[in-house]
Amino acid sequence: MTLQNRRVLLVIGGGIAAYKVLELIRRLRDEGARVRCVMTAAAAEFVTPLSVATLSADRVFTNLFDRNDEHDVGHIRLSREADLIVVAPATADLMAKAATGAANDLARAVLLASNKPVLMAPAMNPLMWSAAPTRRNHATLLADGVQFVGPKSGAMAEAGEAGEGRMAEPAEILAAIVEQLAPARPLSGKTFIVTSGPTHEPIDPVRYIANRSSGKQGHAIAAALAKLGAEVRLISGPVSITDPAGVTTTHVETARQMLAAVESALPADGAVFVAAVADWRVDSVAVDKIKKQPGTGTVPSLSMVENPDILATIGHHAQRPKLVVGFAAETRDVVANGEAKLRRKGADLIVANDVSAGGGAMGGDRNKVTLLSAAGAEAWPELDKLEVAERLAMVIAARLNGEPPR
């Protein structure tokens, strides 16, 4: 367990995202951490102290003037006994008071009295996050050495509201905690190439051939490898998500551009090909928009040619990385087709997943994969894509460091 006996003091702020903290506590304890929790009065409006106490297997601290705790200056003791203080959700109010040094309740007193690192996971309405006072408070806290994870972009609890302000998911917060407390970096000194997203193959100036890939899985894998110490070059097709932190990203559109970018990044220790590359393109892109001819019944004919197979090209390349990992997006016979791809394309590992309609893998946040290698097939349970990325990164690190293959 990566956090065995490490002590985390979790300060729970008052926001709807507080419900996610219950999952974070479970994950922390699964990793061996000892978790103590401080709740603000507002936090207790969203999750109960009983739930928090049950999951943390410890009492919950709520009152700065508790006669049972403060006889020995309990807020000082809480702040000093922890290895790391995590604030989640870090509301706009909590950030503001922390930035100004206010200490009018237990949560703020703990933060002000601490000599331990602090990690905050902001959560608030997008307009609150982008407001000038919040930006000033964020900058102040950064200058004071506070670390942040998130916020993320997405839909808000308020109907019709969306933007940057969602609290990072428990898996992301856990990864940030692990990076703070157990910075095992088994891929330090290693270089990786990762491809992600779709490719767009133009038909004319306004139309193209593409697929539903969001890039979420590829970007998550690039970030997971970087957190293990790797130097990562991400080659991304057109996506709407942000570039992962700590990764050098090159943006391309077509399969041929992606292959050129991959080859220019060689040599590398490893390569993970997650991108859903279009198999075909038109052999001649129209200079002008192809116009309909109403009433004639005429439908334009597209002559197609095959795109380069990036995985196979690198799998048999003169500068082939030591470890080559591919993805097999299948709608039937997932394992059989993945095993055939493993043999045919010169990969060491294939991550096979079902992308049939209704499965939610394409564009969704979760994935159910089977890891294929010469040693056999290992089916993983359905996981958040971030969790898939973390597990795969650890498998990759183990193989590159000479541990028994999986």
Side-chain angles (χ1 to χ4, degrees):
M1 293 185 285
T2 57
L3 296 176
Q4 187 66 42
N5 292 325
R6 303 309 300 269
R7 295 166 298 181
V8 175
L9 181 64
L10 180 58
V11 176
I12 306 174
I16 187 62
Y19 79 92
K20 295 183 180 180
V21 170
L22 301 178
E23 173 69 8
L24 176 61
I25 295 170
R26 183 190 67 78
R27 286 173 177 266
L28 283 167
R29 296 199 65 217
D30 284 348
E31 294 297 328
R34 296 161 58 187
V35 184
R36 306 192 91 174
C37 298
V38 170
M39 294 181 67
T40 65
E45 298 293 327
F46 295 94
V47 293
T48 68
L50 178 60
S51 297
V52 174
T54 301
L55 287 171
S56 64
D58 200 345
R59 62 168 297 190
V60 174
F61 299 85
T62 58
N63 189 355
L64 178 60
F65 302 107
D66 188 304
R67 67 173 63 185
N68 294 318
D69 293 324
E70 286 301 319
H71 72 281
D72 63 347
V73 197
H75 64 282
I76 302 293
R77 174 170 41 81
L78 282 172
S79 71
R80 303 291 172 79
E81 289 178 347
D83 296 308
L84 175 70
I85 299 177
V86 178
V87 184
T91 62
D93 177 72
L94 207 160
M95 285 178 57
K97 290 179 177 176
T100 58
N104 59 327
D105 65 10
L106 180 58
R108 281 82 173 187
V110 163
L111 289 170
L112 191 61
S114 179
N115 60 355
K116 299 299 172 62
V118 176
L119 174 70
M120 288 191 173
M124 64 197 73
N125 179 273
L127 289 180
M128 295 173 73
W129 174 249
S130 62
T134 306
R135 308 315 297 161
R136 289 195 297 270
N137 294 332
H138 180 236
T140 297
L141 292 167
L142 282 172
D144 289 343
V146 173
Q147 299 294 310
F148 285 84
V149 52
K152 315 296 286 186
S153 293
M156 298 289 116
E158 304 92 340
E161 294 271 355
E164 191 175 20
R166 284 174 60 94
M167 189 172 84
E169 294 301 316
E172 295 175 279
I173 300 173
L174 176 63
I177 292 170
V178 169
E179 189 171 6
Q180 288 278 334
L181 293 181
R185 299 176 73 81
L187 293 177
S188 293
K190 305 292 187 184
T191 56
F192 273 83
I193 302 166
V194 179
T195 67
S196 183
T199 62
H200 287 181
E201 309 298 331
I203 296 171
D204 63 18
V206 298
R207 302 180 180 93
Y208 55 82
I209 299 168
N211 59 57
R212 295 185 176 91
S213 174
S214 65
K216 291 177 182 178
Q217 188 66 86
H219 280 52
I221 289 169
L225 292 170
K227 286 179 179 177
L228 294 185
E231 179 183 335
V232 181
R233 171 86 176 270
L234 174 64
I235 316 297
S236 175
V239 296
S240 60
I241 58 178
T242 57
D243 297 342
V247 169
T248 300
T249 305
T250 300
H251 296 276
V252 299
E253 290 205 6
T254 69
R256 287 177 291 177
Q257 290 171 351
M258 184 171 283
L259 176 59
V262 168
E263 289 189 303
S264 72
L266 293 172
D269 295 293
V272 187
F273 297 103
V274 195
V277 180
D279 292 321
W280 302 281
R281 67 180 187 276
V282 298
D283 66 353
S284 180
V285 178
V287 175
D288 297 312
K289 178 183 175 182
I290 301 172
K291 303 290 290 182
K292 290 192 295 185
Q293 299 180 32
T296 67
T298 301
V299 177
S301 175
L302 299 178
S303 177
M304 310 290 287
V305 295
E306 191 171 348
N307 265 329
D309 187 322
I310 298 175
L311 174 58
T313 299
I314 303 304
H316 298 95
H317 201 278
Q319 289 185 294
R320 182 192 189 277
K322 182 178 179 180
L323 186 68
V324 174
V325 182
F327 268 63
E330 305 291 343
T331 57
R332 63 171 64 184
D333 300 326
V334 174
V335 172
N337 286 329
E339 289 174 338
K341 181 177 282 192
L342 179 72
R343 294 188 297 270
R344 187 173 67 252
K345 301 201 175 187
D348 299 293
L349 297 171
I350 289 289
V351 183
N353 61 332
D354 187 342
V355 295
S356 54
M362 276 286 193
D365 294 322
R366 298 183 69 78
N367 209 350
K368 189 174 189 299
V369 308
T370 299
L371 185 66
L372 305 173
S373 69
E378 179 186 327
W380 291 0
E382 182 178 298
L383 299 167
D384 184 279
K385 287 183 175 179
L386 294 170
E387 294 176 285
V388 172
E390 291 164 4
R391 288 183 64 160
L392 182 60
M394 292 305 296
V395 170
I396 288 170
R399 289 182 67 102
L400 278 181
N401 289 321
E403 296 180 24
R406 299 177 59 173

